[in-house]
Amino acid sequence: TNGDNNNSVPAAGDWESILFTVFGGSSSLDHVVIRYGGSNPNTGAVILYESAPALNHLTVMGSAGRGLYVQSAAPVIQNSVFGSNVIGIFNDTLASTVISNSAFFNNSQFAVDNFNTSLILSATLNYWGGDKGPYHASNPTGNGDPVSDQVAFSPPLATSPVPFPSPRPSFPPPLTYTQVSGVLVNNTTWTADRNPYLVVGDVTVNPGVQLRIEPGVILKFSAGRSLVGHGIPDAVGTDRQRIIFTSAKEDTVGGDSH
């Protein structure tokens, strides 16, 4: 749907989120599939802030961070699937999520992460990706996704109570790059270990300020963006480590960053 003749591949974190706030009223998500979101690692692909829409038959997969982020809300989640996220559900300090009859699988850090230390989060009668329940210090034989402390997961289910998506989509790792833009007011060094640098807005080097670009650095420019040197841009590469200025659309150097 982006007009590139099927050449692009979706990845975790391609877009940010669906946000529900206190003004959401009687919102609901039912039989909804959400994929490849969660680009902001501090929130999630679905954000509930002072809002608790009805969540039923929800599938959240491939978030670069959290699938569901909850703060100052008490949602009840049923018949849902959270898979291939970094964290399936993140229950923040003022949240009180309840989840049951749902399934978790392939969440790399936690299926459920509870930051509300005053609450034991209710997460009984769920499938955690293995027949012995989630992994936790209190359940050392658990062969499912890990859960944090303060999560009541017993009894777990040995099989999923809800169908997994079929076929399951693949979730390649999110693109890695260093975004740069704005005005440099202090001396700055760009190093090759943070390659590639994606110039998403004009970069202006103020008078008297040095921008040192080290050998091997790759700079990729989004459409219409520039590096403006009112100060002292210093780009000195070597025969073996050239400094490259190129388009954000070029994938032959620095990998795919767009």
Side-chain angles (χ1 to χ4, degrees):
T1 54
N2 63 352
D4 70 349
N5 198 29
N6 296 323
N7 288 324
S8 60
V9 177
D14 272 351
W15 58 286
E16 187 169 327
S17 63
I18 301 170
L19 169 63
F20 294 86
T21 70
V22 66
F23 303 106
S26 56
S27 302
S28 62
L29 291 175
D30 197 342
H31 292 94
V32 170
V33 177
I34 298 167
R35 298 177 179 171
Y36 303 110
S39 62
N40 185 342
N42 297 315
T43 54
V46 181
I47 304 169
L48 309 184
Y49 184 76
E50 297 185 345
S51 177
L55 301 178
N56 198 14
H57 304 102
L58 174 66
T59 299
V60 183
M61 300 180 67
S63 173
R66 301 146 176 176
L68 173 66
Y69 171 84
V70 185
Q71 177 65 305
S72 302
V76 176
I77 306 164
Q78 294 180 316
N79 309 309
S80 295
V81 176
F82 295 84
S84 300
N85 310 289
V86 175
I87 296 173
I89 298 175
F90 186 86
N91 190 78
D92 214 339
T93 52
L94 299 176
S96 52
T97 303
V98 175
I99 181 164
S100 63
N101 205 58
S102 296
F104 298 85
F105 68 94
N106 293 344
N107 297 286
S108 59
Q109 191 174 119
F110 288 111
V112 177
D113 189 3
N114 181 20
F115 252 47
N116 187 345
T117 57
S118 66
L119 171 81
I120 304 296
L121 187 149
S122 176
T124 60
L125 297 174
N126 293 296
Y127 175 70
W128 301 95
D131 61 357
K132 296 180 174 60
Y135 177 78
H136 185 262
S138 64
N139 186 37
T141 62
N143 57 353
D145 291 356
V147 295
S148 73
D149 295 338
Q150 304 286 105
V151 175
F153 55 80
S154 185
L157 299 179
T159 59
S160 177
V162 289
F164 286 159
S166 180
R168 295 189 197 177
S170 62
F171 294 96
L175 304 176
T176 57
Y177 50 81
T178 301
Q179 274 193 11
V180 291
S181 64
V183 178
L184 301 183
V185 297
N186 297 306
N187 292 342
T188 301
T189 300
W190 290 346
T191 58
D193 61 346
R194 299 184 66 189
N195 274 339
Y197 289 78
L198 183 62
V199 182
V200 295
D202 290 348
V203 175
T204 300
V205 185
N206 266 4
V209 174
Q210 183 183 54
L211 170 61
R212 182 169 182 263
I213 305 175
E214 292 193 342
V217 165
I218 299 167
L219 280 166
K220 295 189 172 188
F221 288 78
S222 298
R225 300 308 180 186
S226 299
L227 173 62
V228 182
H230 296 308
I232 314 166
D234 181 28
V236 180
T238 69
D239 282 344
R240 292 177 177 244
Q241 289 186 296
R242 296 179 184 272
I243 296 168
I244 298 174
F245 294 74
T246 187
S247 165
K249 296 179 180 179
E250 182 177 359
D251 298 339
T252 60
V253 291
D256 186 358
S257 54
H258 72 284

